[in-house]
Amino acid sequence: MTPKEVKEYLNQYRHAVDRARSALEHLEELQSMATRTTPNYGGEGGGQHQSGDTKLANAVDRIIEAKSRASDELEMMEATEREVIHTINEVKDESCKTLLLYRYINGKTFEQIAVALGYCWRQTIRLHGKALIEAGEILAVQRRQSQHCLVESRQAGDEVALVLCDLLRIALRGEPWDEEAASAACQH
């Protein structure tokens, strides 16, 4: 894998964090707006505007949808975190491992990492390059293992193993979990 591909794989956790944070902020905004929506108890003002009861019901529906989306995003974030941390923990060099955790899990800048590790900025950048190479080798091995599993399962004609291998392949592709792709894999 190229260093760019490894960075994309490792950055997927930070992207998942951003999506979860956005979903939670949206939920908070909807809840805040709902507290300003009050039911209309008077019979006046009907016309073509929604009644207060309808506005409140719509607000509640939107909040329920937003809670569901936020919950899904948080689950995705946690699954992505586990996957990325698992890969990082496979890195043998402890300095490289620590650097990758600081950068891709904690979201620290190279300057912050340099201070934390006691290195100069340039040395930190070099170490990052070394860490990306090692992580890339680990990801390549994981993908080969996934492909090997698939070949063996096809040769044996084992449908359950084929489905599991397809799901593993989807997970190791370096992309967040995709429910549609997983369902398609199960329908083979």
Side-chain angles (χ1 to χ4, degrees):
M1 292 184 77
T2 67
K4 182 181 179 185
E5 291 171 324
V6 176
K7 284 182 202 176
E8 287 173 6
Y9 170 82
L10 296 171
N11 273 320
Q12 69 180 333
Y13 170 67
R14 299 302 317 157
H15 297 309
V17 168
D18 291 341
R19 287 190 306 273
R21 187 175 292 131
S22 174
L24 289 170
E25 287 174 4
H26 180 66
L27 175 59
E28 287 176 12
E29 181 180 321
L30 289 174
Q31 288 172 329
S32 175
M33 289 179 357
T35 60
R36 293 188 298 261
T37 302
T38 57
N40 183 5
Y41 295 113
E44 299 178 20
Q48 57 195 28
H49 297 290
Q50 289 181 327
S51 73
D53 289 340
T54 304
K55 285 181 184 178
L56 190 57
N58 288 341
V60 169
D61 287 344
R62 290 181 66 201
I63 289 171
I64 290 169
E65 288 175 24
K67 276 186 179 182
S68 176
R69 180 175 166 253
S71 176
D72 291 347
E73 291 294 346
L74 287 169
E75 285 178 25
M76 175 67 76
M77 180 191 75
E78 290 168 356
T80 304
E81 178 185 35
R82 283 190 301 272
E83 180 183 327
V84 171
I85 287 176
H86 174 77
T87 300
I88 291 173
N89 283 335
E90 295 290 315
V91 172
K92 300 291 183 233
D93 185 297
E94 288 298 321
S95 295
C96 289
K97 186 185 302 186
T98 302
L99 183 145
L100 292 173
L101 289 169
Y102 277 148
R103 180 74 177 168
Y104 297 101
I105 301 300
N106 299 335
K108 293 191 178 291
T109 65
F110 286 117
E111 291 80 6
Q112 292 169 323
I113 296 168
V115 169
L117 295 178
Y119 296 150
C120 69
W121 181 83
R122 186 176 299 254
Q123 192 176 8
T124 303
I125 296 299
R126 273 194 294 262
L127 185 63
H128 180 250
K130 177 183 172 187
L132 290 177
I133 290 169
E134 191 172 342
E137 291 169 355
I138 291 164
L139 288 168
V141 167
Q142 289 174 345
R143 287 187 179 181
R144 278 194 302 276
Q145 289 171 340
S146 171
Q147 290 167 348
H148 180 71
C149 171
L150 184 59
V151 168
E152 284 184 352
S153 298
R154 282 196 177 130
Q155 289 172 348
D158 185 347
E159 286 299 314
V160 173
L162 279 171
V163 169
L164 291 174
C165 287
D166 281 347
L167 294 174
L168 178 63
R169 180 181 44 78
I170 290 166
L172 293 176
R173 215 184 277 155
E175 300 171 2
W177 181 255
D178 180 352
E179 192 67 39
E180 289 178 23
S183 294
C186 290
Q187 293 174 4
H188 279 284

